[in-house]
Short mmCIF file of all heavy atoms in Angstrom, two decimals:
data_model
loop_
_atom_site.label_atom_id
_atom_site.label_comp_id
_atom_site.label_asym_id
_atom_site.label_seq_id
_atom_site.Cartn_x
_atom_site.Cartn_y
_atom_site.Cartn_z
N TYR A 338 -66.18 -70.13 -66.97
CA TYR A 338 -66.27 -70.51 -68.38
C TYR A 338 -65.14 -69.86 -69.19
O TYR A 338 -64.53 -70.51 -70.05
CB TYR A 338 -67.62 -70.08 -68.97
CG TYR A 338 -68.81 -70.77 -68.36
CD1 TYR A 338 -70.09 -70.18 -68.43
CD2 TYR A 338 -68.71 -72.00 -67.72
CE1 TYR A 338 -71.20 -70.81 -67.89
CE2 TYR A 338 -69.81 -72.63 -67.17
CZ TYR A 338 -71.05 -72.03 -67.25
OH TYR A 338 -72.16 -72.65 -66.71
N TYR A 339 -64.86 -68.58 -68.90
CA TYR A 339 -63.77 -67.91 -69.62
C TYR A 339 -62.44 -68.62 -69.34
O TYR A 339 -61.63 -68.84 -70.26
CB TYR A 339 -63.63 -66.45 -69.20
CG TYR A 339 -64.89 -65.63 -69.17
CD1 TYR A 339 -64.98 -64.50 -68.34
CD2 TYR A 339 -65.99 -65.94 -69.95
CE1 TYR A 339 -66.12 -63.73 -68.30
CE2 TYR A 339 -67.14 -65.17 -69.91
CZ TYR A 339 -67.20 -64.07 -69.07
OH TYR A 339 -68.33 -63.30 -69.02
N TRP A 340 -62.20 -68.94 -68.08
CA TRP A 340 -60.93 -69.55 -67.71
C TRP A 340 -60.80 -70.97 -68.27
O TRP A 340 -59.70 -71.40 -68.63
CB TRP A 340 -60.79 -69.57 -66.18
CG TRP A 340 -60.90 -68.21 -65.57
CD1 TRP A 340 -60.69 -67.00 -66.19
CD2 TRP A 340 -61.27 -67.90 -64.22
NE1 TRP A 340 -60.90 -65.96 -65.32
CE2 TRP A 340 -61.25 -66.47 -64.10
CE3 TRP A 340 -61.60 -68.65 -63.10
CZ2 TRP A 340 -61.57 -65.82 -62.91
CZ3 TRP A 340 -61.90 -68.00 -61.91
CH2 TRP A 340 -61.89 -66.61 -61.82
N THR A 341 -61.92 -71.68 -68.36
CA THR A 341 -61.89 -73.01 -68.96
C THR A 341 -61.52 -72.92 -70.43
O THR A 341 -60.70 -73.71 -70.94
CB THR A 341 -63.26 -73.70 -68.80
OG1 THR A 341 -63.60 -73.77 -67.41
CG2 THR A 341 -63.23 -75.10 -69.39
N GLY A 342 -62.10 -71.95 -71.13
CA GLY A 342 -61.73 -71.74 -72.52
C GLY A 342 -60.27 -71.35 -72.65
O GLY A 342 -59.56 -71.81 -73.56
N ALA A 343 -59.78 -70.51 -71.74
CA ALA A 343 -58.38 -70.11 -71.77
C ALA A 343 -57.46 -71.31 -71.54
O ALA A 343 -56.40 -71.41 -72.17
CB ALA A 343 -58.13 -69.04 -70.71
N ALA A 344 -57.87 -72.23 -70.65
CA ALA A 344 -57.05 -73.42 -70.41
C ALA A 344 -56.94 -74.26 -71.67
O ALA A 344 -55.88 -74.84 -71.96
CB ALA A 344 -57.67 -74.24 -69.27
N ARG A 345 -58.01 -74.33 -72.44
CA ARG A 345 -57.96 -75.07 -73.70
C ARG A 345 -57.01 -74.40 -74.69
O ARG A 345 -56.29 -75.08 -75.44
CB ARG A 345 -59.36 -75.16 -74.30
CG ARG A 345 -60.32 -76.02 -73.48
CD ARG A 345 -61.71 -76.05 -74.12
NE ARG A 345 -62.61 -76.94 -73.40
CZ ARG A 345 -63.88 -77.16 -73.74
NH1 ARG A 345 -64.38 -76.54 -74.80
NH2 ARG A 345 -64.63 -77.98 -73.03
N LEU A 346 -56.99 -73.07 -74.69
CA LEU A 346 -56.06 -72.37 -75.56
C LEU A 346 -54.62 -72.61 -75.15
O LEU A 346 -53.73 -72.73 -76.00
CB LEU A 346 -56.37 -70.86 -75.53
CG LEU A 346 -57.67 -70.43 -76.20
CD1 LEU A 346 -57.91 -68.94 -75.99
CD2 LEU A 346 -57.65 -70.74 -77.69
N VAL A 347 -54.37 -72.69 -73.84
CA VAL A 347 -53.01 -72.99 -73.37
C VAL A 347 -52.60 -74.39 -73.80
O VAL A 347 -51.44 -74.63 -74.20
CB VAL A 347 -52.93 -72.85 -71.84
CG1 VAL A 347 -51.56 -73.29 -71.33
CG2 VAL A 347 -53.20 -71.41 -71.42
N GLN A 348 -53.54 -75.34 -73.76
CA GLN A 348 -53.23 -76.70 -74.22
C GLN A 348 -52.89 -76.72 -75.70
O GLN A 348 -52.00 -77.46 -76.14
CB GLN A 348 -54.43 -77.61 -73.96
CG GLN A 348 -54.64 -77.94 -72.49
CD GLN A 348 -55.85 -78.84 -72.27
OE1 GLN A 348 -56.78 -78.86 -73.09
NE2 GLN A 348 -55.85 -79.58 -71.18
N GLN A 349 -53.58 -75.89 -76.49
CA GLN A 349 -53.34 -75.87 -77.93
C GLN A 349 -52.08 -75.10 -78.30
O GLN A 349 -51.42 -75.42 -79.29
CB GLN A 349 -54.55 -75.26 -78.64
CG GLN A 349 -55.83 -76.06 -78.52
CD GLN A 349 -57.02 -75.35 -79.13
OE1 GLN A 349 -56.89 -74.28 -79.73
NE2 GLN A 349 -58.21 -75.91 -78.96
N HIS A 350 -51.74 -74.06 -77.52
CA HIS A 350 -50.59 -73.20 -77.83
C HIS A 350 -49.76 -73.01 -76.56
O HIS A 350 -49.71 -71.90 -76.00
CB HIS A 350 -51.07 -71.85 -78.36
CG HIS A 350 -52.04 -71.95 -79.49
ND1 HIS A 350 -51.66 -72.08 -80.81
CD2 HIS A 350 -53.41 -71.96 -79.50
CE1 HIS A 350 -52.73 -72.15 -81.58
NE2 HIS A 350 -53.81 -72.08 -80.81
N PRO A 351 -49.10 -74.07 -76.09
CA PRO A 351 -48.45 -73.99 -74.77
C PRO A 351 -47.21 -73.10 -74.73
O PRO A 351 -46.92 -72.52 -73.69
CB PRO A 351 -48.09 -75.45 -74.47
CG PRO A 351 -47.97 -76.08 -75.83
CD PRO A 351 -48.97 -75.40 -76.69
N LEU A 352 -46.47 -72.98 -75.82
CA LEU A 352 -45.19 -72.29 -75.78
C LEU A 352 -45.30 -70.80 -76.08
O LEU A 352 -44.75 -69.97 -75.36
CB LEU A 352 -44.21 -72.94 -76.75
CG LEU A 352 -43.78 -74.37 -76.40
CD1 LEU A 352 -42.82 -74.91 -77.44
CD2 LEU A 352 -43.15 -74.42 -75.02
N ALA A 353 -46.02 -70.46 -77.14
CA ALA A 353 -46.05 -69.07 -77.58
C ALA A 353 -47.36 -68.37 -77.27
O ALA A 353 -47.43 -67.14 -77.31
CB ALA A 353 -45.77 -68.98 -79.09
N GLY A 354 -48.41 -69.12 -76.97
CA GLY A 354 -49.70 -68.49 -76.76
C GLY A 354 -50.34 -68.07 -78.07
O GLY A 354 -49.85 -68.37 -79.16
#
Side-chain angles (χ1 to χ4, degrees):
Y338 295 157
Y339 311 155
W340 303 338
T341 302
R345 293 179 176 181
L346 290 175
V347 175
Q348 288 179 335
Q349 296 174 5
H350 308 274
L352 294 179

